[in-house]
């Protein structure tokens, strides 16, 4: 347990900004999320799994060393003893090179077999089916595409994770600042009660003003309790995105505060906030689009493989035989010392090949339709978030003026009240309006920051 808290302390020390209070900056927060969140780590595992699949696919091109030994003896007669080591080397274009030694001894051998030791080097070539594409080449190409798709899917996952994480951060910051504003109003209401009590004691105010001041204080006290609960829940929501290296969740301590970055628009300096530029980047950079494109490329590989089923299987095999050193040099290929064969195979109706090829084409058509649909959905989402972003900027400007006006009216009413020209009812009304306007402004600012990050995530540009 002690080591866990030590690790937690070191983690926060590495990512916190120190001032009068300990603050967690949004960029440092995202680094913690990216490094330790289970979803981010699972996405990285997905990439490693596709790396393993590539290695498995490459195994089909590994040279293979074989050694076959057999013998038969019956009633004291040695029928045969056969010993044959062989090296087989697959190549990319379906050609296989093989070399080996055969040693055959015995008293009851097939006359077509060669006794003694012979060696050979040969080649097997497909001249129709499997010449341009075969299963092992298709498997390797598809494994590489799956690896690229895994990187794209990782970006999809991280874009969404970062967007959700930052939404929790801005909500945490908003709740913190709303709590501060409510606390300031509560403190002002407490000071007003003290002022009214002194005024009543001096005979400047009627006693009923004490009841009015206490009623306002109790209202704001309840508001403060409600906002405190909102802030505590916001801490819990934020903590859901904070994890430690040992895969255990991290609960943020209440002493750690959010960085007050509402006016720090340098956070957006690396973001593209031009609508036309964002839309132009979608086709090239959006990870969901890329994932569809890689999937279609993989289906095209499958289609080329299925096309091979429409071709006849014609394999040529040639082995150059060597009985001794004299016969192993300067011998024409088809003159002496060779073994040659042709294998022909072709289904007469090609039903399987035609069905598989049609199925492969239909899969590509289906994914192409889905890709077009996905592009449209992404463009609509980007336009929606951009319109929201533009509107929020205008709303914030208007709301800032409203907060200034309500605050000024409240102060003016307090000045009039101090001079005996106003009432607590008017002050309380002005104060509540100012508090509501301030909270609305903080809502809009949080919404603006959430929208900017959601806009980048919708375009696939957040990570």
């Amino acid at each position: 347990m002690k080591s866990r808290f030590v690790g937690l302390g070191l983690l926060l020390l590495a990512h916190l900004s120190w001032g009068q209070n300990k603050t967690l900056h949004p960029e440092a927060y995202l680094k913690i999320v990216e490094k330790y969140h289970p979803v981010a780590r699972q996405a990285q595992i997905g990439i490693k799994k596709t790396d393993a699949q590539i290695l498995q696919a490459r195994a089909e091109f590994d040279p293979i060393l074989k050694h076959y030994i057999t013998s038969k003896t019956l009633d004291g007669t040695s029928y045969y003893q056969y010993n044959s080591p062989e090296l087989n080397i697959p190549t990319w274009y379906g050609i296989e090179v093989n070399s080996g030694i055969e040693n055959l001894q015995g008293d009851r051998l097939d006359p077509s077999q060669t006794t003694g030791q012979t060696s050979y080097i040969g080649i097997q070539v497909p001249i129709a089916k499997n010449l341009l594409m075969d299963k092992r080449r298709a498997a390797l190409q598809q494994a590489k595409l799956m690896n690229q798709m895994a990187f794209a899917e990782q970006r999809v996952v991280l874009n969404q994770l970062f967007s959700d994480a930052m939404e929790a951060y801005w909500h945490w910051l908003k709740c913190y600042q709303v709590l501060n504003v409510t606390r300031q109003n509560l403190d002002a209401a407490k000071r007003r009660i003290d002022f009214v009590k002194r005024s009543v004691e001096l005979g400047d105010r009627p006693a009923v003003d004490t009841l009015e001041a206490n009623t306002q204080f109790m209202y704001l006290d309840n508001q403060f309790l409600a906002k405190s609960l909102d802030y505590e829940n916001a801490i819990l929501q934020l903590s859901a995105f904070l994890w430690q290296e040992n895969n255990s969740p991290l609960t943020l301590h209440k002493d750690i505060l959010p960085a007050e970055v509402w006016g720090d628009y340098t956070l957006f300096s690396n973001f593209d906030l031009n609508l036309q530029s964002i839309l132009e980047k979608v086709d090239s950079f959006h990870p969901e689009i890329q994932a569809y494109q890689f999937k279609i490329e993989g289906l095209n590989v499958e289609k080329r493989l299925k096309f091979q089923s429409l071709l006849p299987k014609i394999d040529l095999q040639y082995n150059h035989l060597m009985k001794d050193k004299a016969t192993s040099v300067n011998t024409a290929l088809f003159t002496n010392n060779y073994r040659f064969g042709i294998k022909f195979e072709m289904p007469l109706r090609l039903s399987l090949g035609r069905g598989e090829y049609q199925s492969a084409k239909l899969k590509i058509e289906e994914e192409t339709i889905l890709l077009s649909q996905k592009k449209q959905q992404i463009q609509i989402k980007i336009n929606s978030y951009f319109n929201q972003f533009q509107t929020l900027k205008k709303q914030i400007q208007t709301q800032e003026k409203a907060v200034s006006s309500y605050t000024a009216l409240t102060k003016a009413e307090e000045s009039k009240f101090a001079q005996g020209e106003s009432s607590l009812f008017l002050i309380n009304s002005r104060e509540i309006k100012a508090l509501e306007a301030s909270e609305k402004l903080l809502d809009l600012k949080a919404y603006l920051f959430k929208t900017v990050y959601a806009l980048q995530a919708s375009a696939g540009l957040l990570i």
Side-chain angles (χ1 to χ4, degrees):
M1 179 65 74
K2 182 178 179 181
S3 62
R4 177 180 175 183
F5 283 107
V6 170
L8 173 60
L10 292 174
L11 176 66
L12 291 177
L13 280 172
H15 294 286
L16 293 176
S17 303
W18 289 87
Q20 187 175 0
N21 294 307
K22 297 184 283 290
T23 60
L24 181 60
H25 195 273
E27 291 182 351
Y29 162 68
L30 276 184
K31 288 179 181 178
I32 299 174
V33 173
E34 182 180 16
K35 188 172 184 180
Y36 297 118
H37 196 280
V39 172
R41 300 179 78 170
Q42 286 172 350
Q44 187 63 38
I45 290 173
I47 292 175
K48 292 179 179 178
K49 287 168 69 177
T50 59
D51 288 337
Q53 289 171 356
I54 291 177
L55 186 59
Q56 292 174 23
R58 289 188 189 278
E60 294 296 323
F61 295 91
D62 287 351
I64 299 173
L65 179 62
K66 299 184 288 186
H67 196 163
Y68 180 61
I69 302 174
T70 184
S71 64
K72 179 181 177 181
T73 300
L74 181 64
D75 293 333
T77 301
S78 175
Y79 278 67
Y80 59 81
Q81 293 177 345
Y82 183 71
N83 186 1
S84 176
E86 180 182 5
L87 177 64
N88 185 275
I89 304 175
T91 65
W92 179 254
Y93 290 103
I95 299 172
E96 293 189 6
V97 178
N98 53 73
S99 178
I101 299 172
E102 291 183 335
N103 193 335
L104 182 62
Q105 304 289 339
D107 299 328
R108 300 288 181 87
L109 300 179
D110 188 328
S112 65
Q113 295 178 310
T114 305
T115 59
Q117 179 173 304
T118 58
S119 59
Y120 61 90
I121 182 168
I123 187 170
Q124 181 173 315
V125 182
I127 60 174
K129 182 179 181 180
N130 297 332
L131 177 62
L132 299 179
M133 179 61 68
D134 57 21
K135 288 183 179 180
R136 60 189 177 192
R137 277 178 281 176
L140 181 55
Q141 290 182 18
Q142 288 176 327
K144 290 180 178 179
L145 289 169
M146 287 294 292
N147 181 252
Q148 292 176 296
M149 192 188 304
F151 275 102
E153 289 174 348
Q154 181 197 39
R155 288 181 54 218
V156 172
V157 169
L158 291 182
N159 266 284
Q160 188 59 53
L161 175 63
F162 281 15
S163 179
D164 293 342
M166 290 311 300
E167 184 173 350
Y169 184 92
W170 302 128
H171 178 67
W172 176 48
L173 175 55
K174 183 208 76 172
C175 290
Y176 170 72
Q177 294 193 333
V178 168
L179 182 63
N180 282 343
V181 171
T182 307
R183 182 187 290 111
Q184 292 168 7
N185 280 266
L186 183 63
D187 292 341
K190 180 65 173 66
R191 289 193 298 270
R192 194 175 298 120
I193 288 175
D194 296 338
F195 174 78
V196 169
K197 284 182 178 178
R198 288 195 301 270
S199 298
V200 170
E201 290 172 358
L202 294 173
D204 295 336
R205 296 285 174 188
V208 72
D209 278 1
T210 305
L211 180 60
E212 182 80 28
N214 275 308
T215 301
Q216 180 74 350
F217 177 80
M218 287 186 288
Y219 169 77
L220 290 173
D221 190 39
N222 274 331
Q223 286 292 101
F224 181 75
L225 290 174
K227 302 308 177 185
S228 297
L229 177 61
D230 289 344
Y231 179 60
E232 289 175 3
N233 288 336
I235 291 175
L236 293 176
Q237 292 173 21
L238 186 79
S239 297
F241 293 93
L242 295 175
W243 290 74
Q244 300 181 81
E245 190 172 5
N246 60 356
N247 294 325
S248 59
L250 187 159
T251 300
L252 197 67
H253 197 276
K254 292 182 180 179
D255 290 343
I256 299 171
L257 305 177
E260 300 187 29
V261 291
W262 287 138
D264 187 11
Y265 291 104
T266 57
L267 287 173
F268 304 154
S269 60
N270 294 326
F271 291 166
D272 189 346
L273 297 176
N274 180 278
L275 179 60
Q276 189 60 38
S277 175
I278 291 174
L279 291 175
E280 288 174 356
K281 291 178 180 177
V282 166
D283 283 349
S284 301
F285 296 105
H286 199 288
E288 289 187 80
I289 300 297
Q290 288 181 330
Y292 270 103
Q293 291 170 341
F294 289 135
K295 187 173 183 179
I296 291 172
E297 284 185 47
L299 290 173
N300 276 314
V301 172
E302 182 181 348
K303 187 182 79 169
R304 292 197 297 272
L305 176 62
K306 299 305 182 185
F307 179 76
Q308 299 300 306
S309 299
L310 301 175
L311 301 175
K313 182 177 176 63
I314 307 174
D315 293 338
L316 302 183
Q317 184 176 19
Y318 177 86
N319 285 338
H320 183 63
L321 306 178
M322 293 164 282
K323 182 67 174 174
D324 52 46
K325 293 184 179 180
T327 59
S328 64
V329 182
N330 298 325
T331 304
L333 292 181
F334 292 97
T335 301
N336 193 13
N337 303 319
Y338 69 89
R339 181 169 58 208
F340 176 74
I342 299 178
K343 182 179 179 181
F344 175 84
E345 181 181 318
M346 181 176 180
L348 295 180
R349 295 184 59 191
L350 297 175
S351 299
L352 179 62
R354 286 186 291 128
E356 290 182 340
Y357 187 65
Q358 289 176 9
S359 177
K361 290 198 297 183
L362 289 172
K363 287 180 183 178
I364 294 173
E365 184 179 350
E366 182 180 29
E367 291 301 322
T368 303
I369 293 171
L370 290 174
L371 174 59
S372 299
Q373 185 180 14
K374 176 58 67 174
K375 285 183 179 180
Q376 185 191 36
Q377 291 173 351
I378 290 171
Q379 289 177 354
I380 290 173
K381 186 178 288 188
I382 290 172
N383 278 282
S384 176
Y385 280 127
F386 186 81
N387 292 340
Q388 192 170 286
F389 169 64
Q390 295 292 92
T391 301
L392 283 168
K393 287 195 298 183
K394 296 175 183 177
Q395 286 181 305
I396 288 172
Q397 291 175 351
T398 303
Q399 193 65 23
E400 285 176 339
K401 294 176 183 177
V403 170
S404 296
S405 299
Y406 281 123
T407 303
L409 286 171
T410 303
K411 289 181 179 179
E413 209 65 52
E414 287 177 335
S415 297
K416 291 167 65 177
F417 178 77
Q419 297 170 9
E421 298 177 359
S422 184
S423 65
L424 277 175
F425 175 77
L426 288 175
I427 291 177
N428 293 342
S429 298
R430 301 288 193 197
E431 189 174 53
I432 291 172
K433 287 289 186 182
L435 178 59
E436 290 175 349
S438 296
E439 187 172 348
K440 177 65 175 177
L441 176 60
L442 292 172
D443 278 336
L444 289 172
K445 286 183 175 180
Y447 201 12
L448 174 69
F449 276 69
K450 290 178 185 178
T451 299
V452 170
Y453 276 80
L455 172 62
Q456 298 303 301
S458 68
L461 303 175
L462 192 53
I463 179 68

